[in-house]
Amino acid sequence: MPDWSPTAYLRYTDERSRPFAELLARVPGRPATVVDLGCGPGHLTGRLRARWPDADVLGIDASPAMIERASADNTDPHVRYEIADLRDLARGRASVAGADLVLSNAALQWVPDHRRYLAPLAAAAAQTFAFQVPGNHDAPSHTLLREVAARAPYADVVGAVPRRATADPAEYLDLLAAPGWAVDAWETTYTHVLDGPDPVLRWIAATGAQPTLQALAAHDAAHGTALHAAFEAEYGAALRDAYPERSCGTPLAFRRVFVVATRVG
């Protein structure tokens, strides 16, 4: 998959940060070592250090651009960043074993068949494994993305856009519940009020739609076409119908699923 844009991702920092704060609020204890899986541009590391100021933090992300941005902004000697694939960590090829807290915020949904990696990642944590994933794979923002991308002429360039479905809290509970573990699983639907022109398009263009948009932009550069602009216009119009602007702004309902698994006994 093409690399991410830290600048685009950080456009809605406050809204994207709220689930991270809710996740941290449910993590017990005082971990001395923390591994942040899918740390992105490192903008939330400060919250980890504020919650546990004595902890050493390792941020891991598969995106070179994200790690470059996080490393450039880092001035904390107790924080470091590395490029790695979550699947390799779960398979033991790059070890995070022994960290008191292993957590992941809005990253596991990008890992194909992510459910199979949850138990190995939990096993790597000495105390707690915690994660949050979007649960809005069937929201209009995503169904319209798949629908528009399946039309000509885009489909021949981008192929089928995958439905990156995450599980419900009960399924995650079943996957991680085991002797010696206490699992807290829940969900929250946020209603973000976004401002400006085409705010839902700008929101999803930085995350869920980015692979599609980058594929179209690459095709345009190679073949002299204008598919990227045409797709944005068509998809943006559909999003405006699905998410109409109100006097307060444009509401965007966004469901998130949370899990905190802690060793007990």
Side-chain angles (χ1 to χ4, degrees):
M1 186 173 68
D3 207 355
W4 295 100
S5 167
T7 301
Y9 184 81
L10 291 170
R11 184 173 287 137
Y12 292 106
T13 301
D14 291 344
E15 291 85 355
R16 297 192 196 279
S17 300
R18 286 180 62 190
F20 188 76
E22 185 173 349
L23 182 67
L24 290 191
R26 299 281 191 101
V27 175
R30 298 183 60 84
T33 50
V34 179
V35 174
D36 184 1
L37 304 176
C39 63
H43 61 300
L44 296 176
T45 304
R47 297 197 178 201
L48 290 169
R49 299 283 289 127
R51 175 74 186 276
W52 300 294
D54 298 324
D56 288 317
V57 178
L58 170 62
I60 291 174
D61 204 285
S63 164
M66 290 294 198
I67 292 298
E68 181 180 1
R69 174 69 177 267
S71 299
D73 291 346
N74 182 36
T75 59
D76 190 333
H78 294 283
V79 177
R80 58 193 175 93
Y81 295 99
E82 294 180 359
I83 299 173
D85 190 307
L86 295 182
R87 291 167 293 187
D88 290 337
L89 301 177
R91 294 168 181 147
R93 296 178 187 171
S95 178
V96 298
D100 291 336
L101 169 62
V102 176
L103 83 160
S104 179
N105 182 63
L108 290 172
Q109 75 275 8
W110 291 103
V111 180
D113 195 17
H114 72 281
R115 293 164 177 78
R116 66 181 291 197
Y117 300 109
L118 296 180
L121 289 172
Q127 297 177 5
T128 303
F129 173 52
F131 66 90
Q132 175 269 129
V133 288
N136 63 335
H137 39 272
D138 288 329
S141 55
H142 288 63
T143 59
L144 289 170
L145 173 64
R146 298 192 291 268
E147 178 183 316
V148 176
R151 299 172 186 167
Y154 316 118
D156 289 340
V157 177
V158 302
V161 175
R163 178 178 174 270
R164 300 182 184 277
T166 53
D168 291 331
E171 182 178 347
Y172 286 130
L173 175 66
D174 288 341
L175 288 170
L176 289 170
W181 288 91
V183 181
D184 184 11
W186 73 99
E187 65 179 75
T188 299
T189 298
Y190 300 88
T191 301
H192 303 301
V193 180
L194 309 181
D195 296 322
D198 288 325
V200 179
L201 175 62
R202 288 186 290 126
W203 173 288
I204 196 171
T207 52
Q210 188 162 144
T212 301
L213 294 172
Q214 289 187 353
L216 293 170
H219 185 274
D220 289 346
H223 301 281
T225 54
L227 295 182
H228 182 281
F231 180 88
E232 276 204 341
E234 195 170 339
Y235 181 40
L239 290 174
R240 287 192 296 273
D241 287 341
Y243 298 93
E245 184 178 10
R246 302 180 185 176
S247 59
C248 61
T250 302
L252 171 66
F254 202 119
R255 177 176 175 258
R256 305 269 185 174
V257 179
F258 301 79
V259 178
V260 176
T262 305
R263 294 185 185 271
V264 294

